[in-house]
Amino acid sequence: MPNIHTLKKVSILIIVLFSLVSCRQSETVSIIPDKNPPTESNNFGFNLNDFNVFHDTIRRGDTFGSIIENQNLGDIQVYDIIEKVKDSFNLKTIKIGKPFTLLRTKDRHKKLEVFVYQPDRASYYVIDFRDSVSVYKKTRPIRFKQRIISGKLDGSLSEALSKKGVDVALAQKLTKVYAWSIDFFKLKKGDKFGITFTERYIDDTIYDGVDSLKAAFFEYKGKLIYAFPFAQNQVSGKQDYYDDEGKALKNFFLKAPLKFVSITSHFTKNRFHPVQLIWKAHKGTDYAAPSGTPIMTTASGVVEQTGYSAGNGNFVKVKHDKTYSTQYLHMSKILVRKGQRVNQGSIIGKVGSTGLATGPHVCYRFWKNGVQVDALKLKLPNSQPMDSKNLPRFMTQIKPLKRELDSVANL
């Protein structure tokens, strides 16, 4: 008769196996969205009750040909099918993880009659093998609904939006819009926010995420900072974000070369060096981060210098214009070359501890007119300032949006 310890081990094994099976089933369901009962939006224009229906997703190594050759195609050859559809359906665009559906006869032969591929939620391709091979693409109607939310922070921005049932993509978009004017790590509990945005719905019922940001405000250091998209050039339609006075939110420079920052040492004329153990000037700002963290150039420009020195370790220096240059030290890896053009936010290297460093970090140095200065204390220029001739149009455009945001700010 098994002892108590043996029974416990068996019980634990059963629980683990059950958990693994349950996880696998949950994962399978999540990647096959069309296992719901047929509806107007997922039957692809067919009465699915008339077919033997098989749903799956594209796996690594799958091709259109390899999928259908394992099916009963009758007298039709795979090569002939590919030749007939390749001009209407680019078979090379089939991607791993995308769903497809096979509609087969309900008899014992299960002959393949229709192949459906969904490159995205809003469209699908149909290859019909009945009578003769034909292919067409269908696009489901998309409707945009505007929504406004407001509240007070009680954690991270992502948590606040999640509680209101908002796609996390909105948090990422807001972080980019406010990257030059708000340090989201310094937002405090109780700070207010208001956001007006549009969401996409397919066939009026299937939620398809956030589409665009219409307006927003965040309380930061006791002040409401607004963001409104506006196209100064109505022909190009290219939008930048401006505050409620028409001042550009986007600066010529990012606030820091890392997405998530922790300052460990400031620019100073006299600092005790942790490696050399002497007092000397520290003409940069140190940002600690795990080794391998991507380092971004804070503004667009041309890589002026890359290399290694005993003190700086692996470094990159970028010249932005006649006035400004920046340098990034102690990299574990350099990812650009001298003379290369880089854009604001481009990854130029990875955090390390090469040179005179006690741990992984990037030392960020800043030059103005050839003189090293404290980047954190420098008043940096905005990009694409509002043209005075466009200001009246901008103020008219944002008036109803600001009025709506202000109404929720006071709740």
Side-chain angles (χ1 to χ4, degrees):
M1 184 173 178
N3 60 36
I4 294 175
H5 294 292
T6 303
L7 289 174
K8 282 185 176 180
K9 288 181 180 180
V10 172
S11 299
I12 291 171
L13 180 61
I14 292 171
I15 291 170
V16 170
L17 289 172
F18 180 78
S19 300
L20 289 173
V21 171
S22 299
C23 290
R24 172 59 60 185
Q25 289 174 343
S26 175
E27 180 184 352
T28 303
V29 172
S30 67
I31 62 174
I32 305 178
D34 286 323
K35 278 199 170 181
N36 298 319
T39 66
E40 187 70 26
S41 61
N42 70 7
N43 62 12
F44 314 114
F46 297 93
N47 183 353
L48 299 190
N49 291 324
D50 293 340
F51 300 91
N52 170 277
V53 181
F54 175 80
H55 298 288
D56 206 344
T57 56
I58 304 296
R59 305 174 191 277
R60 187 175 298 279
D62 280 350
T63 64
F64 170 72
S66 68
I67 292 171
I68 65 171
E69 72 181 356
N70 295 321
Q71 303 297 318
N72 178 7
L73 295 168
D75 297 328
I76 311 176
Q77 299 298 313
V78 172
Y79 174 80
D80 294 332
I81 295 172
I82 292 175
E83 285 298 305
K84 287 183 180 180
V85 306
K86 67 180 182 180
D87 292 333
S88 303
F89 177 25
N90 186 353
L91 301 175
K92 294 181 180 179
T93 61
I94 289 180
K95 294 182 179 180
I96 295 172
K98 297 296 182 180
F100 69 89
T101 300
L102 305 178
L103 304 184
R104 306 176 292 197
T105 58
K106 297 185 79 172
D107 57 23
R108 63 185 179 87
H109 300 294
K110 294 183 180 179
K111 181 181 178 182
L112 181 62
E113 298 200 307
V114 178
F115 173 89
V116 182
Y117 172 69
Q118 300 177 76
D120 52 63
R121 284 175 151 186
S123 63
Y124 56 91
Y125 286 92
V126 173
I127 300 178
D128 196 331
F129 304 105
R130 299 171 298 180
D131 297 331
S132 62
V133 179
S134 62
V135 57
Y136 57 88
K137 182 180 181 180
K138 286 282 189 178
T139 301
R140 293 167 171 151
I142 299 177
R143 183 176 177 182
F144 301 94
K145 298 179 182 180
Q146 187 161 302
R147 181 179 174 191
I148 183 169
I149 62 172
S150 63
K152 293 182 179 180
L153 292 175
D154 187 25
S156 69
L157 174 60
S158 295
E159 289 172 339
L161 296 181
S162 179
K163 288 177 181 178
K164 293 184 177 292
V166 180
D167 189 346
V168 70
L170 182 59
Q172 297 169 350
K173 189 173 187 68
L174 286 162
T175 302
K176 289 181 180 179
V177 169
Y178 282 104
W180 299 267
S181 51
I182 291 180
D183 182 347
F184 279 88
F185 289 96
K186 293 183 179 178
L187 289 174
K188 298 180 298 183
K189 181 178 180 179
D191 282 346
K192 295 183 291 185
F193 67 89
I195 311 165
T196 303
F197 58 101
T198 57
E199 296 176 301
R200 297 182 303 272
Y201 286 85
I202 300 171
D203 282 340
D204 252 352
T205 56
I206 304 173
Y207 178 69
D208 195 41
V210 172
D211 180 68
S212 61
L213 175 65
K214 296 297 183 183
F217 75 77
F218 278 90
E219 184 179 9
Y220 185 59
K221 296 183 178 180
K223 181 183 176 182
L224 296 186
I225 300 181
Y226 292 85
F228 300 97
F230 181 72
Q232 294 208 63
N233 186 328
Q234 292 178 285
V235 176
S236 70
K238 182 180 180 299
Q239 292 184 328
D240 286 306
Y241 284 84
Y242 302 85
D243 67 12
D244 56 327
E245 296 178 351
K247 295 177 182 177
L249 288 182
K250 182 177 180 179
N251 286 329
F252 185 39
F253 287 89
L254 293 172
K255 283 186 172 293
L258 304 176
K259 284 189 176 180
F260 304 101
V261 300
S262 175
I263 297 176
T264 54
S265 185
H266 289 264
F267 185 101
T268 179
K269 293 181 180 179
N270 199 20
R271 181 194 72 154
F272 188 73
H273 197 283
V275 177
Q276 295 177 312
L277 302 178
I278 60 174
W279 291 91
K280 61 185 292 187
H282 182 246
K283 296 183 178 180
T285 305
D286 288 349
Y287 295 94
S291 186
T293 300
I295 299 172
M296 305 178 294
T297 178
T298 53
S300 299
V302 176
V303 177
E304 185 177 31
Q305 191 178 5
T306 66
Y308 177 90
S309 70
N312 297 337
N314 295 319
F315 69 89
V316 171
K317 189 173 183 180
V318 179
K319 186 175 182 62
H320 305 291
D321 59 14
K322 294 180 180 179
T323 305
Y324 301 105
S325 296
T326 56
Q327 190 179 30
Y328 313 79
L329 312 182
H330 308 303
M331 294 178 170
S332 62
K333 190 172 184 180
I334 296 172
L335 299 177
V336 290
R337 64 185 183 279
K338 184 178 178 180
Q340 181 177 336
R341 179 77 188 176
V342 290
N343 296 320
Q344 185 181 64
S346 294
I347 306 303
I348 57 173
K350 294 186 177 182
V351 168
S353 53
T354 55
L356 293 178
T358 57
H361 73 286
V362 55
C363 179
Y364 175 54
R365 294 184 176 180
F366 201 102
W367 281 262
K368 181 179 181 182
N369 295 321
V371 179
Q372 281 188 261
V373 295
D374 187 349
L376 297 180
K377 294 182 178 179
L378 194 65
K379 188 174 182 180
L380 297 169
N382 287 347
S383 63
Q384 296 182 320
M386 177 74 69
D387 191 316
S388 58
K389 69 179 182 181
N390 290 325
L391 190 57
R393 177 166 61 88
F394 170 76
M395 298 305 290
T396 300
Q397 178 176 309
I398 74 166
K399 187 176 180 179
L401 292 167
K402 186 174 184 299
R403 184 170 58 243
E404 188 175 37
L405 283 177
D406 287 344
S407 68
V408 299
N410 297 321
L411 294 177

